[in-house]
């Protein structure tokens, strides 16, 4: 039986799509990632810009940022993390549903940035396992979208379901046209 393109979906009479349950689950996870609102500094403005109509996160199934960690499965840590905020960040991470992922957005979240002092955590990966690092100071919405797409690829490939709680530590390249002080490439290890 041929499918009549002029009839649209009505031309598909009694057909069945098949696939493995694992592939269906990975597709559903990838297309329904719900990020938690966790903006800490100037990177949060760029994260809000990525959620606006120009970049349209709705095409990735991420149109609403969740205010409750119990409804979120992605934490985008946007900005520097103080020592006082670290226990709060960990508590919110622990309250998120499984499977859960973390994107470290900006050099302040990834390594403490220019703030090398006792008051700030020198890398959010000391508090929570980070899956993808987005470089920049601050990284633009294009870089955040690239990090989200990298996360989606890893969910589709199934690598993130095999992690043992330490995160993947993927680094993505900067995509917003800003000069980067050091080259950052996509690696599968936690080191830079």
């Amino acid at each position: 039986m041929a499918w009549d393109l002029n009839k649209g979906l009505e031309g598909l009479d009694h057909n069945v799509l098949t696939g493995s349950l694992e592939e269906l689950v990975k597709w559903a996870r990838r297309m329904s990632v719900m990020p938690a609102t966790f903006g800490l500094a100037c990177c949060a403005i760029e994260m809000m810009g990525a959620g606006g109509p120009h970049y349209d996160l709705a095409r990735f199934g991420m149109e609403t940022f969740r205010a409750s960690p119990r409804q979120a499965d992605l934490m985008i840590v946007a900005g520097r993390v103080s020592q006082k905020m670290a226990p709060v960040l960990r508590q919110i991470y622990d309250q998120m549903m499984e499977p859960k992922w973390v994107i470290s957005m900006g050099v302040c979240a990834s390594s403490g940035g220019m703030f090398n002092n006792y008051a700030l955590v020198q890398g959010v990966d000391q508090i929570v396992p980070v899956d993808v690092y987005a470089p920049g100071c601050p990284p633009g919405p294009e870089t955040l979208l690239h990090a989200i797409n990298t996360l989606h690829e890893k969910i589709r490939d199934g690598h993130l379901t095999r992690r043992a709680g330490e995160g993947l530590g993927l680094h993505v390249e900067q995509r917003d046209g800003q000069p980067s002080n050091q080259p950052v490439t996509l690696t599968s290890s936690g080191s830079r």
Side-chain angles (χ1 to χ4, degrees), residues 118-180:
Y118 66 92
L120 296 176
V121 175
Q122 300 299 306
V124 75
D125 54 356
Q126 297 175 6
I127 311 299
V128 294
V130 175
D131 298 301
V132 179
Y133 293 91
C137 183
E142 297 91 353
T143 304
L144 178 59
L145 288 176
H146 183 55
I148 290 169
N149 284 331
T150 302
L151 182 70
H152 283 184
E153 288 173 17
K154 294 304 169 185
I155 294 170
R156 184 188 68 225
D157 294 342
H159 295 301
L160 293 183
T161 57
R162 291 192 284 267
R163 69 182 174 140
E166 71 276 354
L168 281 180
L170 294 173
H171 300 277
V172 298
E173 64 186 38
Q174 194 166 349
R175 290 282 177 109
D176 55 4
Q178 296 179 2
S180 179

Side-chain angles (χ1 to χ4, degrees), residues 8 21 24-25 27 37 39 41 118 134 147 186:
L21 181 60
L24 179 65
V25 168
W27 176 83
T37 54
Y118 66 92
L186 182 64

Side-chain angles (χ1 to χ4, degrees), residues 38 94 98 116 151 191:
F38 207 81
D94 290 339
E98 289 287 343
N116 188 10
L151 182 70
S191 62

Side-chain angles (χ1 to χ4, degrees), residues 1-15:
M1 175 183 278
W3 178 26
D4 187 5
L5 293 176
N6 295 327
K7 292 183 180 179
L9 292 178
E10 295 171 359
L12 289 173
D13 291 332
H14 306 292
N15 285 322

Side-chain angles (χ1 to χ4, degrees), residues 6-47:
N6 295 327
K7 292 183 180 179
L9 292 178
E10 295 171 359
L12 289 173
D13 291 332
H14 306 292
N15 285 322
V16 177
L17 296 174
T18 61
S20 68
L21 181 60
E22 181 181 4
E23 293 299 319
L24 179 65
V25 168
K26 288 191 284 187
W27 176 83
R29 284 181 179 167
R30 182 170 48 98
M31 298 309 289
S32 64
V33 174
M34 293 293 164
T37 54
F38 207 81
L40 298 169
C42 48
C43 291
I45 302 298
E46 299 295 332
M47 180 176 65

Side-chain angles (χ1 to χ4, degrees), residues 32-37 51 57-58 61-67 71-72 74:
S32 64
V33 174
M34 293 293 164
T37 54
L57 282 177
M62 302 174 62
E63 60 269 8
T64 55
F65 281 81
R66 300 296 179 182
Q71 297 175 350
L74 170 64

